[in-house]
Amino acid sequence: MTTTIVSEQEEERLYEELRRALEDVEEGEERQRVLKRMIRQLKFAKWQKERMRKFNTYCENVRPATLWIILGTGALTPVLLFSMFIWVSLWVE
């Protein structure tokens, strides 16, 4: 939703920055370095946008019961691990 808009704006900004950088830099090795760096940034932005799209579709389709299971598991995991630590330390003594 809003993250896709933000990622699209980021991609547009990168394209604009690439265009300006190529206008400012003269031909040669420096231009190739700038071009490679900007292409790498654009590929990362595209990859990030795709990953966020998958995450957003998952979050839109999650059921409340699944959400409660995830939250409960996350909340009880430290308690369970601490209890296991106590039991093991008592058993070792």
Side-chain angles (χ1 to χ4, degrees), residues 13-62:
R13 185 191 64 77
L14 287 171
Y15 275 116
E16 183 64 28
E17 187 177 332
L18 173 62
R19 187 185 59 75
R20 276 187 272 122
L22 289 178
E23 288 175 354
D24 294 343
V25 178
E26 296 178 10
E27 292 290 328
E29 190 175 315
E30 179 68 25
R31 185 180 179 114
Q32 290 297 324
R33 272 197 304 248
V34 170
L35 186 60
K36 285 181 182 179
R37 180 176 52 87
M38 296 303 293
I39 288 173
R40 204 168 41 244
Q41 287 179 350
L42 285 169
K43 283 182 181 179
F44 177 75
K46 183 178 177 182
W47 173 81
Q48 187 177 22
K49 184 171 76 172
E50 180 65 25
R51 294 288 295 176
M52 288 307 294
R53 186 186 62 78
K54 290 178 182 178
F55 180 73
N56 286 338
T57 56
Y58 174 75
C59 288
E60 289 172 0
N61 297 331
V62 70

Side-chain angles (χ1 to χ4, degrees), residues 69-80:
I69 290 170
I70 291 170
L71 290 174
T73 305
L76 292 177
T77 300
V79 174
L80 179 67

